[in-house]
């Protein structure tokens, strides 16, 4: 490869652009969030909105870390040229951990807040639930677990991203070997931490409801949003010239498209399994979840979710042509990320609006914009400081030449 | 996957350039077809004799059940489903590796699958055949079952319950059986043609000639073949998930504590692939040795299979843990009791076997040395077979402690139950041994496509 087609041209202009868009979103989102936070009437709603924004960013970041670990665990060659993009997406884990604090503040400043309803159960049913599972759902346990989850994720983000960056200097196969060795154990830790985080942060919003598949459901969303973010970032970086166009072939795009398709189906399968089994057995302790989401105007949101999250992306991604067309793949990725946001809205917001029916306003919009801004600023910083292609990986050349047939 | 060069290029390739691989390709034909063309060995005859004894036991118990009724089984109230459904789910699960290998791994471009695909697909079909015996015999009048089940007798005004997962089972399993059979047969065509072309005896030539449906290996035929293969792979992929999901619905749609849990569909699918791979390993390790195919089904293949066993073991372990945790977290008294009883009750020993064989022992496969040693991996895959049978047994035995303590009753299998269980293995191995004797056990054409010199360009495969 000659220097003329060096995969990493100057990064400054692109990074500046990403950072300024990010700062803009951050400022607007931050201002709206602050408004909602300081208005006592809106604070509880803001808490739920913040939960959606936070878990949206969390899904992209943690999912990307999982993607990186999976590539190491399977010793995948095809993904080496685009693995750095996932590493970039995973990098702001520490920032996310810090940004969890406002959520705790909402709960502290607003003792009546229903954001963690097990803290002050209002209904008789919730009271009973908290009584029987109090040894899990309590403040100390919650804080300790959250701290533990973030410690594990932050450590492994550092481990995988730093390891890959250290390879940039020279093709050190020993690093690949080490990353690979720890990828399996990390995936096991990931499965448990992601599951229990989803129980703590999302499922416990309705403390008397339970579902064994819930962790798998959230995992589907995490992976799907990470894949969509990777595809989108890859195509953006390629278009801005930071990744040489000849580096990412149709074969790579098709593989990403195939994975997006597979996980779209996976999400549909898991969501259907959960719904069908609860509908069929028709037991009140379980159906409360869906009756809440099928009454007071929520039925429309629930039906829309099935289309946004499954039917539309499924039909689009069925076509081979879409899976190899960068522009179309980018568009469907944006749509899938929107689907993730919509899904989180569906998971969280019925607890915020309750019988008032679905709503949307400043307390919901602010945090989402804020978190998009945070991620973009973090990615702008990454692009400025590090190459966006893992050229030092021993399998880099092989990955460049990856062909489907 | 491209067609092998010696069949689709009429012009002879430049001599010398391809001689090495050509010899290797020829060797592959010879090695795989050898068991078909020789007289059965003593070993095969002994194995077949043993399997036939098993199949006979199955037949005897089957007929006995029909003649005397289901009362000859240990089923009681509340354990209305005993060994019958356990064996059914067990065998359906075994069938999952084949389609996973031939469909999902094909779509994931796992080239290593070619050497084990045929054998695993054959196992799928035989396992489904064995599995189907259990619901058939449980009807008590299997000759009428065909009438009750298919075609659906709505025209006679006998409407079946479309809301029953047992009916979904009929649809799911029969679809699966048919698609798997067609997929397997399509893949067999080029290899049957090779067997035909090699045949010296007229009858032999005629039989393989009919079976290969006039396959000539023309360019056009290969194009159709490739397209059909891709379509079958695409159609079979959702089937791998749907069949065991529907089987799990048999339990999960009920309101029985310990059965009604939302993770059942993916958990059953993971368990099916887990047990399927363990069974493929169990059989293929013996087959490759006695048919001298160790250079085709290499230790690398077994290594990769062991990794899949490990991954699916972790998934199953995750599901066990989720079930326990959520049973506690739900706060539902009946749910908590069901799981306490499962782990500590009168079938606690079965639960211990299940966890040991399915979750603890497979963790040894983290070690490369164990994954690559036949002697060390073999006990593990055998343990998985045992553990997965017990998993279903543990689930069924939840019934023995139902809502009404006065009706609590343990399950005591009779000799007919044991006979059907042991005999089902006999039936399965009889079919498998016949397959090994008469059909090529390795997908030769597909394997050739992956060999050096078979592809026009030497691209990388990720």
């Amino acid at each position: 490869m000659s220097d003329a087609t060096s995969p990493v041209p100057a990064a400054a202009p692109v990074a500046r652009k990403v950072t300024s868009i990010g700062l803009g979103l951050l400022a607007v989102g931050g201002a709206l969030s602050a408004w909602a936070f300081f208005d006592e009437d809106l604070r509880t709603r803001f808490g739920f909105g913040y939960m959606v924004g936070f878990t949206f960013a969390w899904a992209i970041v943690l999912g990307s870390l999982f993607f990186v670990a999976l590539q190491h665990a399977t010793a995948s060659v095809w993904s080496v040229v685009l693995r750095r993009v996932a590493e970039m997406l995973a990098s702001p884990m520490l920032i996310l951990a810090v940004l969890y604090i406002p959520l705790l503040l909402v709960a502290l400043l607003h003792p009546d807040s229903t954001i963690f309803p097990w803290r002050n159960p209002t209904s008789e049913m919730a009271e009973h639930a908290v009584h029987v599972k109090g040894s899990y759902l309590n403040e100390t346990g919650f804080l300790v677990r959250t701290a533990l989850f973030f410690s594990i994720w932050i450590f492994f983000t550092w481990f995988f991203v730093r390891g890959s960056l250290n390879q940039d200097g020279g093709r050190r196969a020993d690093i690949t070997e080490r990353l690979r060795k720890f990828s399996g154990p990390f995936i096991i830790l990931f499965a448990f931490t992601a599951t229990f985080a989803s129980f703590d942060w999302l499922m416990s919003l309705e403390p008397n409801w339970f579902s064994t598949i819930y962790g798998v459901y959230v995992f589907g969303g995490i992976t799907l949003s990470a894949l969509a973010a990777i595809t989108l970032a890859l195509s953006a970086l390629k278009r801005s010239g930071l990744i040489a166009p000849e580096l990412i072939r149709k074969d790579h795009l098709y593989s990403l498209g195939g994975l997006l398709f597979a996980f779209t189906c996976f999400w549909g399968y898991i969501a259907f399994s959960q719904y069908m089994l609860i509908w069929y057995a028709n037991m009140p302790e379980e159906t409360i979840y869906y009756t809440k989401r099928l009454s007071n105007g929520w039925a429309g949101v629930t039906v829309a979710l099935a289309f946004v999250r499954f039917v539309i992306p499924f039909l689009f991604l069925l076509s081979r042509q879409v899976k190899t067309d960068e522009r179309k793949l980018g568009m469907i990725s944006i749509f899938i990320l929107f689907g993730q946001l919509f899904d989180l809205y569906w998971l969280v917001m019925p607890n915020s609006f309750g019988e008032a029916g679905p709503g949307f306003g400043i307390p919901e919009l602010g945090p989402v914009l804020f978190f998009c801004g945070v991620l973009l600023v973090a990615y702008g910083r990454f692009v400025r400081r590090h190459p966006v292609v893992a050229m030092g990986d021993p399998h880099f050349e092989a990955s460049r030449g990856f062909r489907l047939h | 996957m491209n067609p092998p060069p010696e069949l689709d290029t009429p012009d002879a390739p430049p001599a010398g350039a391809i001689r090495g691989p050509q010899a290797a390709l020829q060797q592959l034909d010879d090695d795989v077809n050898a068991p078909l063309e020789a007289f059965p060995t003593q070993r095969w005859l002994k194995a077949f004799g043993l399997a036939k004894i098993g199949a006979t036991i199955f037949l005897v118990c089957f007929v006995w059940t029909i003649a005397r009724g289901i009362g000859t089984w240990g089923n009681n109230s509340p354990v209305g489903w005993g060994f019958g459904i356990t064996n059914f789910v067990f065998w359906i699960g075994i069938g999952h590796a084949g389609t996973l290998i031939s469909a999902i791994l094909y779509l994931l471009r796992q080239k290593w699958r070619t050497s084990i695909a045929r054998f695993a697909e054959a196992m799928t079909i035989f396992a489904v055949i064995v599995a189907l015996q259990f619901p058939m015999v449980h009807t008590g009048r299997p000759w009428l079952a065909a009438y009750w089940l298919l075609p659906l007798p709505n025209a006679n005004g006998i409407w079946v319950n479309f809301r029953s997962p047992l009916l979904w089972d009929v649809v799911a399993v029969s679809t699966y059986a048919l698609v798997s059979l067609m997929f397997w047969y399509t893949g067999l065509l080029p290899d049957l043609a090779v067997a035909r072309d090699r045949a010296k005896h007229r009858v032999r030539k005629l039989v393989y000639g009919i079976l290969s449906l006039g396959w000539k290996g023309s360019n056009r035929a290969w194009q159709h073949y490739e397209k059909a293969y891709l379509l079958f792979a695409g159609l079979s992929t959702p089937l791998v998930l749907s069949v065991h999901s529907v089987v799990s619905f048999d339990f999960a749609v009920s309101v029985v504590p310990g059965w009604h849990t939302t993770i059942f569909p993916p958990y059953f699918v993971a368990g099916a692939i887990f047990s399927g791979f363990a069974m493929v390993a169990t059989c293929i390790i013996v087959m490759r040795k006695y048919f001298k195919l160790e250079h085709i089904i290499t230790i690398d293949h077994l290594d990769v299979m062991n990794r899949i066993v490990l991954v699916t073991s972790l998934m199953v372990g995750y599901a066990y843990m989720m079930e326990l945790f959520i049973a506690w977290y739900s706060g539902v008294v009946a749910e908590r009791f069901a799981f306490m009883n499962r782990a500590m009750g009168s079938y606690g020993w079965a639960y211990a076997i299940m966890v040991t064989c399915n979750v603890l022992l497979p963790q040894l496969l983290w070690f490369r040395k164990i994954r690559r040693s036949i002697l060390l991996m073999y006990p593990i895959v055998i343990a998985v077979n045992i553990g997965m049978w017990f998993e279903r047994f543990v689930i069924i035995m939840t019934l023995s402690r139902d809502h009404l303590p006065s009706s609590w009753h343990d399950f005591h299998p009779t000799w007919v139950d044991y006979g059907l269980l042991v005999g089902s293995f006999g039936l399965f191995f009889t079919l498998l041994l016949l397959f090994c004797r008469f059909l090529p056990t390795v997908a030769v054409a597909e394997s050739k496509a992956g060999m050096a010199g078979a592809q026009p360009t030497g691209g990388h495969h990720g």
Side-chain angles (χ1 to χ4, degrees):
Chain A
M1 190 176 57
S2 70
D3 284 329
T5 57
S6 167
V8 187
V14 185
R16 246 200 314 277
K17 201 165 144 196
V18 172
T19 311
S20 52
I21 297 174
L23 281 173
L25 284 173
L26 205 150
V28 175
L32 295 177
S33 297
W35 180 10
F37 178 76
F38 288 110
D39 184 334
E40 288 214 9
D41 294 337
L42 292 180
R43 191 175 292 156
T44 298
R45 257 178 79 186
F46 164 74
F48 286 105
Y50 197 86
M51 184 64 99
V52 170
F54 176 82
T55 42
F56 177 65
W58 168 72
I60 293 174
V61 172
L62 184 64
S64 300
L65 184 61
F66 167 67
F67 181 84
V68 171
L70 189 64
Q71 302 316 309
H72 286 301
T74 53
S76 288
V77 171
W78 74 274
S79 60
V80 168
V81 287
L82 51 94
R83 206 190 57 228
R84 178 60 54 78
V85 176
E87 287 161 0
M88 173 188 88
L89 292 172
S91 59
M93 190 67 87
L94 184 64
I95 303 173
L96 273 193
V98 175
L99 289 178
Y100 195 78
I101 295 167
L103 211 47
L104 302 174
L105 278 181
V106 172
L108 273 179
L109 285 179
H110 205 308
D112 300 336
S113 153
T114 48
I115 171 80
F116 295 120
W118 42 268
R119 288 177 66 239
N120 42 3
T122 43
S123 71
E124 204 178 309
M125 234 167 124
E127 214 167 290
H128 169 74
V130 172
H131 174 69
V132 295
K133 58 188 85 164
S135 48
Y136 181 84
L137 281 186
N138 59 66
E139 287 179 6
T140 321
F142 182 88
L143 290 175
V144 168
R145 283 194 302 271
T146 300
L148 181 72
F149 300 154
F150 273 116
S151 322
I152 291 171
W153 298 332
I154 289 168
F155 172 76
F156 277 99
T157 308
W158 171 82
F159 177 76
F160 283 114
V161 177
R162 183 47 52 190
S164 174
L165 289 176
N166 282 346
Q167 270 184 328
D168 284 351
R171 312 213 148 175
R172 287 179 52 191
D174 61 312
I175 294 182
T176 300
E177 198 50 43
R178 195 172 67 234
L179 297 182
R180 182 157 189 224
K181 210 170 220 158
F182 286 92
S183 58
F186 168 71
I187 289 174
I188 295 176
L189 283 174
F190 162 79
F192 286 110
T193 52
T195 301
F196 284 99
S198 70
F199 288 172
D200 281 3
W201 302 346
L202 297 168
M203 194 164 87
S204 77
L205 296 178
E206 280 142 296
N208 40 355
W209 184 76
F210 55 90
S211 170
T212 42
I213 210 173
Y214 198 83
V216 186
Y217 180 92
V218 172
F219 163 77
I222 288 176
T223 315
L224 200 49
S225 43
L227 286 168
I230 291 166
T231 311
L232 195 61
L234 186 71
S235 128
L237 288 169
K238 198 174 143 188
R239 214 173 298 173
S240 67
L242 269 186
I243 294 179
E246 73 273 11
L247 212 53
I248 304 298
R249 310 174 52 85
K250 280 200 166 158
D251 311 56
H252 296 107
L253 292 177
Y254 182 76
S255 302
L256 280 172
L259 284 172
L260 281 171
F261 179 71
F263 275 92
T264 295
C265 296
F266 181 77
W267 182 89
Y269 166 60
I270 298 298
F272 174 76
S273 295
Q274 177 170 277
Y275 175 73
M276 201 282 284
L277 290 175
I278 289 175
W279 167 80
Y280 197 111
N282 203 15
M283 298 201 288
E285 66 262 37
E286 292 180 341
T287 47
I288 42 163
Y289 191 77
Y290 286 104
T291 43
K292 196 190 252 178
R293 283 163 178 77
L294 287 169
S295 50
N296 298 318
W298 285 97
V301 178
T302 305
V303 173
L305 179 71
F307 277 87
V308 169
R309 199 94 232 244
F310 177 69
V311 177
I312 296 170
F314 174 85
L315 291 176
F316 256 94
L317 286 165
L318 208 50
S319 135
R320 179 180 288 211
Q321 199 252 335
V322 169
K323 279 184 289 223
T324 48
D325 184 316
E326 198 180 302
R327 211 173 55 84
K328 286 179 185 154
L329 212 51
M331 267 159 47
I332 197 73
S333 295
I334 294 175
F335 190 77
I336 287 172
L337 285 172
F338 170 73
Q340 169 72 4
L341 210 49
F342 197 76
D343 192 7
L344 289 167
Y345 179 88
W346 182 80
L347 290 172
V348 171
M349 287 306 174
N351 303 299
S352 175
F353 295 108
E355 287 165 13
F360 190 81
I362 287 168
E364 287 76 35
L365 181 67
V368 171
L369 294 182
F370 174 74
F371 274 100
C372 290
V374 167
L375 289 185
L376 284 181
V377 170
Y379 298 149
R381 183 165 171 272
F382 189 96
V383 169
R384 207 162 46 241
R385 295 164 54 132
H386 308 293
V388 288
V389 179
M391 276 180 302
D393 192 289
H395 300 295
F396 183 73
E397 287 304 323
S399 183
R400 274 170 64 98
F402 166 66
R403 303 283 187 286
L404 280 173
H405 291 290
Chain B
M1 198 183 61
N2 277 6
E6 82 269 33
L7 287 174
D8 79 329
T9 40
D11 311 317
I18 211 162
R19 186 175 298 148
Q22 191 86 11
L25 296 171
Q26 175 68 40
Q27 188 66 40
L28 192 64
D29 275 347
D30 291 345
D31 291 343
V32 174
N33 282 289
L36 279 61
E37 290 164 352
F39 279 106
T41 59
Q42 283 296 314
R43 262 207 204 100
W44 184 89
L45 285 172
K46 272 183 204 153
F48 191 63
L50 210 62
K52 270 204 305 197
I53 293 172
T56 311
I57 293 172
F58 188 83
L59 191 67
V60 168
C61 293
F62 195 99
V63 172
W64 187 261
T65 305
I66 303 302
R68 293 293 182 92
I70 306 296
T72 54
W73 294 5
N75 295 14
N76 58 45
S77 180
V79 189
W81 281 356
F83 271 22
I85 191 89
T86 310
N87 297 340
F88 169 73
V89 180
F90 173 76
W91 281 112
I92 291 280
I94 297 297
H96 273 60
T99 319
L100 181 97
I101 291 168
S102 46
I104 295 186
L105 293 187
Y106 173 76
L107 296 180
L108 290 175
R109 305 188 297 263
Q110 301 292 308
K111 308 270 177 202
W112 61 272
R113 59 177 269 286
T114 51
S115 67
I116 58 166
R118 169 73 41 73
F119 192 77
E121 284 175 45
M123 283 180 60
T124 291
I125 291 156
F126 304 142
V128 171
I129 291 172
V130 173
L132 283 176
Q133 305 308 312
F134 291 96
M136 291 287 268
V137 69
H138 202 165
T139 62
R141 298 286 181 271
W143 54 92
L144 289 177
Y147 167 75
W148 290 328
L149 298 176
L150 285 172
L152 297 173
N154 295 348
N156 300 345
I158 313 166
W159 287 81
V160 293
N161 183 3
F162 285 105
R163 280 193 177 188
S164 164
L166 298 178
L167 180 74
W168 309 344
D169 246 1
V170 175
V171 177
V173 176
S174 52
T175 310
Y176 184 60
L178 280 176
V179 173
S180 299
L181 186 69
M182 289 190 288
F183 197 4
W184 178 66
Y185 195 74
T186 307
L188 261 172
L189 285 178
D191 293 352
L192 285 170
V194 171
R196 171 200 63 197
D197 296 342
R198 292 167 61 96
K200 303 237 159 48
H201 195 278
R202 268 190 29 222
V203 176
R204 195 181 168 78
K205 208 171 196 72
L206 186 73
V207 172
Y208 282 115
I210 291 169
L211 285 177
S212 60
L213 304 180
W215 179 268
K216 287 219 170 65
S218 68
N219 201 355
R220 241 167 74 95
W222 274 112
Q223 276 178 6
H224 287 306
Y225 173 89
E226 295 287 335
K227 187 145 270 176
Y229 205 93
L230 182 65
L231 286 175
F232 269 126
L235 287 171
S236 305
T237 299
L239 283 176
V240 177
L241 294 167
S242 73
V243 175
H244 232 61
S245 296
V246 171
V247 169
S248 83
F249 292 163
D250 290 349
F251 305 97
V253 298
S254 68
V255 290
V256 176
W259 280 16
H260 174 68
T261 166
T262 47
I263 206 171
F264 253 35
Y267 153 43
F268 265 50
V269 172
I273 293 164
F274 179 51
S275 68
F277 262 86
M279 188 60 105
V280 172
T282 308
C283 299
I284 218 165
I285 286 171
V286 178
M287 192 276 283
R288 70 194 269 277
K289 179 151 177 63
Y290 288 141
F291 287 168
K292 299 192 180 61
L293 297 175
E294 281 129 316
H295 58 293
I296 298 169
I297 301 160
T298 63
I299 198 77
D300 291 327
H301 293 103
L302 297 175
D303 186 351
V304 183
M305 288 171 70
N306 284 332
R307 286 173 207 212
I308 293 180
V309 169
L310 175 61
V311 168
T312 43
S313 154
L314 290 168
M315 290 179 183
V316 169
Y318 173 90
Y320 293 167
M321 221 205 77
M322 270 319 116
E323 278 189 325
L324 281 180
F325 176 76
I326 295 290
W328 174 82
Y329 179 91
S330 73
V332 178
V333 180
E335 205 67 47
R336 284 183 176 183
F337 170 78
F339 279 92
M340 277 306 281
N341 180 56
R342 216 177 247 189
M344 316 279 201
S346 50
Y347 292 99
W349 56 274
Y351 191 82
I353 292 178
M354 170 186 108
V355 171
T356 311
C357 293
N358 294 348
V359 184
L360 301 180
L361 279 176
Q363 300 311 313
L364 292 170
L365 296 172
W366 281 97
F367 301 100
R368 187 182 150 88
K369 261 219 179 74
I370 296 178
R371 283 200 309 266
R372 300 183 71 88
S373 154
I374 304 269
L375 217 59
L376 294 174
M377 77 169 90
Y378 208 65
I380 297 175
V381 294
I382 297 275
V384 172
N385 289 320
I386 296 168
M388 282 308 289
W389 188 86
F390 271 101
E391 179 193 295
R392 281 65 176 247
F393 182 71
V394 163
I395 293 171
I396 313 297
M397 286 309 123
T398 308
L399 288 176
S400 64
R401 298 286 178 273
D402 68 354
H403 293 287
L404 208 59
S406 62
S407 65
W408 287 0
H409 208 305
D410 279 351
F411 173 77
H412 300 288
T414 62
W415 66 269
V416 186
D417 283 317
Y418 287 120
L420 283 171
L421 171 60
V422 174
S424 66
F425 282 88
L427 179 60
F428 177 75
F429 284 114
T430 305
L431 294 168
L432 196 65
L433 283 162
L434 285 173
F435 157 73
C436 290
R437 176 80 188 88
F438 291 111
L439 293 170
T441 48
V442 173
V444 180
E446 257 198 284
S447 295
K448 281 177 184 167
M451 287 172 72
Q455 300 290 344
T457 53
H460 295 278
H461 298 288

